[in-house]
Amino acid sequence: AQSVTQLGSHVSVSEGALVLLRCNYSSSVPPYLFWYVQYPNQGLQLLLKYTSAATLVKGINGFEAEFKKSETSFHLTKPSAHMSDAAEYFCAVSVEYGNKLVFGAGTILRVKS
Amino acid sequence: DVKVTQSSRYLVKRTGEKVFLECVQDMDHENMFWYRQDPGLGLRLIYFSYDVKMKEKGDIPEGYSVSREKKERFSLILESASTNQTSMYLCASSLLDSRTDTQYFGPGTRLTVL
């Protein structure tokens, strides 16, 4: 079975500081991993996804994530936070077959000025 | 761009009412999904559909049913709404039934059951 753990339900950073949102996964098959972002009062939007082509994945808005099999991790980073990055971020892993996803509990990112 | 629309942003219903949540996608996607989102629990899959008139239960189907009569439309039905169904409901769609395909989400319906 697949599962995702997001460490830290709330993360607070200063504007311009590094953003690091943690995601660890468990999967009985080679994993495919996704990061989605949800801005206030909106649906989810794909930030990036790992589909085994490259371990370092670049996404929209300057975010990137690195797949580390030995650590079963897929942490999301951004070198310099902007106020507009304040949102909730979800990590997800695909199940064994088909297009279903298992989501983590989410991390709310707050950016301080 | 893919567009997924949901019939209402906010909905208030009374206990025992039958509730319909509608979702429409405009990109000829095969798959459609209904999730509920609760703080601290992330998104949980209620039902999904991989073809017209086809449906499969997700992780939390109890108290819900679905209907997909046309490819672009996927309805979630609460047969007899209860207060514990107060939540944010998100619809999503994807083109293919592959593990790498992206799901596209609607804006959500915040349902309150009194």
Side-chain angles (χ1 to χ4, degrees):
Chain A
Q2 282 65 35
S3 67
V4 169
T5 301
Q6 292 185 240
L7 295 173
S9 58
H10 292 77
V11 170
S12 184
V13 300
S14 298
E15 194 172 19
L18 172 72
V19 175
L20 171 61
L21 303 182
R22 299 179 186 273
C23 172
N24 289 90
Y25 69 89
S26 172
S27 179
S28 55
V29 296
Y32 297 121
L33 296 154
F34 301 74
W35 274 102
Y36 281 86
V37 60
Q38 184 179 35
Y39 298 105
N41 298 315
Q42 294 186 27
L44 275 67
Q45 177 184 359
L46 181 71
L47 271 179
L48 50 81
K49 62 181 176 181
Y50 166 74
T51 58
S52 75
T55 57
L56 183 62
V57 183
K58 295 188 183 298
I60 62 171
N61 301 337
F63 284 93
E64 63 181 36
E66 187 172 8
F67 172 70
K68 292 187 176 181
K69 184 178 179 180
S70 60
E71 298 177 10
T72 61
S73 69
F74 190 55
H75 301 331
L76 183 71
T77 60
K78 182 175 180 177
S80 176
H82 294 167
M83 296 298 290
S84 60
D85 293 328
E88 189 163 16
Y89 293 79
F90 293 94
C91 182
V93 64
S94 61
V95 301
E96 294 95 329
Y97 58 90
N99 190 231
K100 289 189 288 183
L101 296 175
V102 173
F103 284 85
T107 297
I108 294 173
L109 176 65
R110 178 188 170 211
V111 182
K112 300 176 291 184
S113 58
Chain B
D1 276 355
V2 176
K3 189 155 187 183
V4 180
T5 57
Q6 296 184 228
S7 51
S8 305
R9 295 300 304 272
Y10 299 93
L11 210 51
V12 179
K13 295 293 182 180
R14 298 218 173 265
T15 302
E17 280 193 78
K18 191 168 187 176
V19 181
F20 293 87
L21 303 183
E22 304 286 340
C23 175
V24 177
Q25 50 92 5
D26 67 355
M27 286 302 291
D28 204 34
H29 280 181
E30 299 292 329
N31 304 316
M32 296 189 76
F33 307 82
W34 275 107
Y35 295 91
R36 67 176 279 175
Q37 180 184 4
D38 299 288
L41 296 178
L43 278 71
R44 292 178 292 167
L45 183 64
I46 304 171
Y47 268 97
F48 72 102
S49 168
Y50 51 89
D51 200 353
V52 175
K53 297 189 185 294
M54 305 301 288
K55 61 187 179 185
E56 282 194 24
K57 293 179 180 179
D59 299 317
I60 52 165
E62 296 78 19
Y64 304 95
S65 62
V66 290
S67 172
R68 193 170 181 197
E69 298 295 322
K70 293 185 178 181
K71 191 174 187 179
E72 68 270 19
R73 187 179 298 270
F74 192 34
S75 302
L76 180 69
I77 303 156
L78 286 66
E79 296 290 342
S80 178
S82 64
T83 55
N84 62 15
Q85 293 178 310
T86 292
S87 186
M88 170 71 88
Y89 291 87
L90 292 166
C91 175
S93 72
S94 64
L95 178 61
L96 301 171
D97 196 28
S98 80
R99 295 181 66 214
T100 60
D101 204 28
T102 298
Q103 291 186 20
Y104 295 87
F105 284 80
T109 295
R110 188 167 293 281
L111 173 66
T112 301
V113 182
L114 302 176

